[in-house]
């Protein structure tokens, strides 16, 4: 049988092939079973990684944002099948950029409106990258915002992006992208608070997540780990480009849904334990168990599953902002319904309500080596069970 010594060994091995430092913790039914920190937060200073080290979350931000939104769903603030234009009127007449055989595009009306569920499940049609008509139109809108507004807010971006023709009819395909910005914007509209304020009051403070947020406070800046670029020869170079730390400054205006938070391993462990234990944390009810079940229910059809899956996500589907395990025979030894997500710089969460188990792993490295590191950590943890 595996034990946590194997996990310690793996974390040390990882440092030889990638990040300068990393942290990992595992908890079950409110009890921490494993928590270790390896390596350094900065190669130049040699300062060690500790429980207080702060990591850029990038897309693991989505787990917190979508949790917050689902808390509002269970309060009756919106329905998944509501058209998004009911909350953002600018999105009422969505257009589709349909590619033609000659390489041109025909812009036509969408066959149906974008629904809130399309935003959660990345089926609304605006991606984060690419060279297609939709991506070019989105980049043009952002350039206009920068030129006319300067530093813009999430609400300003959402209103401006309504003019972008989407890449397909809503709900017909899967495309990783702008949907979760709309989810974060929805939080703001129905709660009357900025997404950062809402998450702080409804999630971070109740869960005692004292090191998590969108903008620096206290000594957070001093505790941030350095992001490294992993070169082809195995060497590492500090990479301010991937840090995007200007968005963390206290005066920064933008708070995103797809990325933007910083946090610690221990803080995110609290969030994941709440989700693994039916919405409860240290005797306090944060959200409903059945709402979490809905959050982790696969939302994709067969065509969308083909577009979503890759070797790293084999066996998984996609729910309301989280991957969710559908088929363990793909080589995954966790439970059906285990869910979570990954960040571009290597953060990773796994949440298992069947076992009341969760694990959190964090480093800041690009490329993040997720396909090697994360499944091995998961397999060791479930081997211990």
């Amino acid at each position: 049988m595996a034990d946590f010594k194997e996990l310690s060994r793996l974390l040390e091995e990882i440092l030889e092939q990638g990040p300068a430092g990393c942290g990992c913790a595992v908890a079950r039914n409110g009890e921490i079973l494993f928590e270790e920190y390896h390596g350094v937060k900065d190669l130049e200073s040699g300062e060690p990684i500790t429980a207080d080290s702060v990591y850029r979350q990038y897309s693991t931000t989505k787990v917190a944002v979508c949790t917050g939104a689902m808390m509002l769903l269970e309060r009756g603030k919106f329905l998944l099948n509501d058209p998004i234009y009911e909350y953002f009127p600018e999105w009422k007449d969505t257009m589709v950029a349909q590619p033609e055989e000659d390489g041109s595009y025909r812009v036509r009306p969408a066959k149906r409106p974008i629904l809130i569920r399309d935003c959660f499940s990345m089926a609304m049609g605006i991606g984060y990258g690419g060279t297609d008509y939709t991506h070019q139109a989105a980049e043009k809108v952002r350039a206009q915002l920068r030129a006319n507004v300067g530093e813009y807010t999430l609400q300003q971006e959402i209103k401006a992006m309504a003019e972008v023709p989407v890449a397909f009819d809503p709900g017909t395909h899967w495309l990783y992208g702008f949907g979760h910005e709309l989810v974060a914007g929805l939080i703001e509209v129905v709660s009357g608070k900025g997404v950062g304020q809402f998450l702080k009051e409804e999630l971070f403070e109740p869960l005692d997540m004292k090191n998590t947020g969108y903008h620096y406070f206290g000594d957070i800046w001093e505790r941030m780990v350095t992001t490294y670029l992993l070169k082809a020869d195995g060497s590492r170079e500090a990479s301010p480009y991937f840090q995007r730390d200007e968005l963390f400054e206290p005066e920064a205006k933008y708070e995103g849904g797809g990325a933007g938070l910083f946090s610690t391993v221990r803080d995110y462990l609290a969030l994941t334990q709440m989700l693994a234990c039916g919405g409860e944390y240290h005797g306090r009810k944060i959200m409903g168990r059945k709402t979490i079940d809905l959050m982790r229910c696969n939302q994709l059809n067969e065509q969308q599953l083909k577009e979503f899956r890759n070797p790293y996500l084999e066996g998984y589907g996609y729910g309301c902002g989280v991957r969710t395990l559908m088929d363990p025979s793909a080589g995954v030894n966790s439970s059906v319904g285990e869910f979570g997500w990954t960040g571009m710089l290597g953060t990773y969460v796994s949440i298992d309500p069947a076992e009341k188990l969760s694990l959190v792993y964090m480093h800041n490295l690009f490329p993040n080596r997720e396909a090697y590191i994360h499944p091995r950590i998961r397999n060791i943890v479930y081997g211990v069970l």
Side-chain angles (χ1 to χ4, degrees):
M1 184 180 76
D3 60 33
F4 284 123
K5 292 179 181 177
E6 291 296 323
L7 185 52
S8 298
R9 175 199 58 77
L10 178 62
L11 297 178
E12 281 295 320
E13 174 191 304
I14 287 168
L15 299 187
E16 298 173 4
Q17 305 173 29
C22 63
C24 185
V26 182
R28 190 180 195 187
N29 201 20
E31 177 186 356
I32 295 178
L33 306 181
F34 175 91
E35 184 179 17
E36 287 188 5
Y37 302 90
H38 294 252
V40 297
K41 66 184 286 289
D42 181 81
L43 289 170
E44 186 174 350
S45 70
E47 184 179 345
I49 288 274
T50 71
D52 293 324
S53 297
V54 181
Y55 307 79
R56 298 156 191 84
Q57 294 304 302
Y58 270 79
S59 283
T60 38
T61 297
K62 293 174 170 67
V63 179
V65 168
C66 290
T67 297
M70 294 301 286
M71 292 168 68
L72 289 166
L73 175 138
E74 70 178 14
R75 297 175 191 178
K77 297 293 186 179
F78 64 87
L79 300 175
L80 289 182
N81 287 327
D82 286 344
I84 196 68
Y85 69 72
E86 292 184 1
Y87 304 87
F88 299 103
E90 297 84 359
W91 287 74
K92 184 172 179 60
D93 299 314
T94 297
M95 304 296 285
V96 176
Q98 180 171 309
E100 304 287 13
E101 291 183 1
D102 63 1
S104 65
Y105 287 85
R106 177 171 64 91
V107 177
R108 60 166 176 81
K111 293 180 180 178
R112 70 158 173 81
I114 297 171
L115 307 181
I116 289 176
R117 71 164 59 247
D118 300 324
C119 301
F120 271 104
S121 64
M122 298 293 189
M124 55 78 58
I126 299 179
Y128 279 149
T131 58
D132 61 285
Y133 186 101
T134 294
H135 176 67
Q136 291 179 14
E139 286 303 300
K140 183 178 179 181
V141 165
R142 293 189 179 100
Q144 291 172 339
L145 277 171
R146 288 191 292 269
N148 299 330
V149 179
E151 187 181 1
Y152 53 84
T153 66
L154 174 63
Q155 291 295 323
Q156 288 172 318
E157 181 185 44
I158 287 173
K159 289 178 181 179
M161 291 287 278
E163 70 180 56
V164 175
V166 298
F168 46 77
D169 282 298
T172 59
H173 294 278
W174 188 86
L175 180 63
Y176 194 60
F178 192 70
H180 289 178
E181 270 60 57
L182 285 163
V183 171
L186 179 67
I187 289 175
E188 296 187 336
V189 169
V190 302
S191 73
K193 302 174 181 179
V195 63
Q197 181 187 359
F198 178 84
L199 292 178
K200 178 182 178 182
E201 294 176 1
E202 300 288 344
L203 267 184
F204 303 156
E205 288 179 346
L207 294 173
D208 201 27
M209 296 171 66
K210 297 179 179 178
N211 303 287
T212 304
Y214 281 99
H215 307 295
Y216 293 136
F217 55 86
D219 64 346
I220 291 292
W221 183 84
E222 289 85 356
R223 293 191 280 126
M224 296 282 284
V225 305
T226 299
T227 295
Y228 286 97
L229 175 66
L230 183 63
K231 296 183 176 181
D233 63 3
S235 64
R236 293 165 292 199
E237 178 181 287
S239 178
Y241 171 78
F242 288 107
Q243 293 186 175
R244 299 182 65 200
D245 287 355
E246 67 276 5
L247 296 179
F248 294 140
E249 294 294 339
E251 65 274 11
K253 296 179 181 179
Y254 190 86
E255 296 177 342
L261 287 176
F262 52 75
S263 191
T264 63
V265 169
R266 197 173 287 173
D267 269 21
Y268 249 62
L269 190 66
L271 172 62
T272 62
Q273 269 293 283
M274 181 274 288
L275 292 167
C277 295
E280 295 188 8
Y281 183 75
H282 289 176
R284 182 173 181 176
K285 189 74 170 178
I286 306 297
M287 65 187 299
R289 174 175 58 87
K290 300 303 291 184
T291 308
I292 298 169
D293 287 346
L294 173 59
M295 182 178 177
R296 66 193 178 111
C297 179
N298 174 58
Q299 299 288 325
L300 306 186
N301 60 34
E302 288 302 315
Q303 173 62 36
Q304 292 169 319
L305 283 172
K306 291 177 183 178
E307 295 160 347
F308 166 73
R309 286 175 175 164
N310 56 38
Y312 176 70
L313 292 168
E314 194 64 39
Y316 285 90
Y318 195 69
C320 292
V322 291
R323 68 173 187 274
T324 182
L325 184 61
M326 299 173 65
D327 183 9
S329 70
V332 183
N333 65 345
S334 60
S335 308
V336 171
E338 172 257 318
F339 69 104
W341 200 239
T342 301
M344 187 181 76
L345 295 183
T347 52
Y348 169 74
V349 299
S350 172
I351 305 158
D352 188 342
E355 297 285 349
K356 295 186 176 181
L357 176 82
S358 66
L359 73 92
V360 175
Y361 170 84
M362 292 184 183
H363 70 236
N364 278 176
L365 177 78
F366 187 85
N368 64 24
R369 303 197 68 236
E370 61 185 22
Y372 180 90
I373 295 171
H374 298 164
R376 285 171 166 80
I377 291 175
R378 180 198 63 214
N379 289 351
I380 290 173
V381 169
Y382 278 89
V384 174
L385 296 185

